[in-house]
Amino acid sequence: MQQAFRDVMAAVASPVAVVTALDGSRPHGTTVSAFASLSLTPPMVLVSLEERSHLLAVIRRSGRFGLNVLGAHQADLASVFARSGPDKFDGIGWSPSEELPRLPDAAAWIAAEVADCVEAGDHTVLLARATAVDPGEGSLRPLTYHRRSFGTHTPLAY
């Protein structure tokens, strides 16, 4: 059942983002494909993180995170933040935005404050209020994850 479920979910195209937070002055981040818009009033997002994630522990302490929505040109960056380990930011440029780590050239940016945490299986779903947003350049194509590889959305021509 578990492998069949993985295969079914691999057939679903998902947007890709890097969730970031600061532990003191040290940036932390991880690649996620489980995030979505939750509410417009108030503006809210949801993000799912593995229960054992060090980033989740940092976010639980700070109550805040950044959501760097990646563009199609950032597949390599998504791969860096998808790996395990504490030094994902080694050699990666970033700047503080709303006192959160922001990655350059992301397709969009959201700073968020956690409103609630919901334990769900081996993950925790963070329900968070957007405190700052930057829709970025509308011309950037989004990075997606589908069939266990990165790609992008191509609009259909009618």
Side-chain angles (χ1 to χ4, degrees), residues 54-153:
H54 179 70
L55 178 63
L56 178 59
V58 171
I59 292 171
R60 284 185 188 273
R61 285 192 301 273
S62 70
R64 306 178 69 233
F65 63 86
L67 187 64
N68 297 267
V69 181
L70 300 185
H73 63 289
Q74 295 177 301
D76 289 343
L77 192 61
S79 294
V80 167
F81 282 94
R83 67 178 166 76
S84 297
D87 301 321
K88 296 178 188 179
F89 271 93
D90 284 356
I92 303 294
W94 64 279
S95 61
S97 183
E98 302 295 318
E99 300 177 15
L100 292 163
R102 184 172 178 173
L103 299 172
D105 303 322
W109 160 257
I110 298 172
E113 285 185 4
V114 176
D116 201 3
C117 298
V118 179
E119 293 182 16
D122 59 0
H123 280 61
T124 294
V125 179
L126 304 173
L127 309 178
R129 285 183 218 74
T131 58
V133 298
D134 180 356
E137 293 183 39
S139 63
L140 287 178
R141 294 185 336 171
L143 182 64
T144 58
Y145 191 70
H146 180 250
R147 299 263 184 229
R148 298 179 179 90
S149 65
F150 294 115
T152 193
H153 168 75

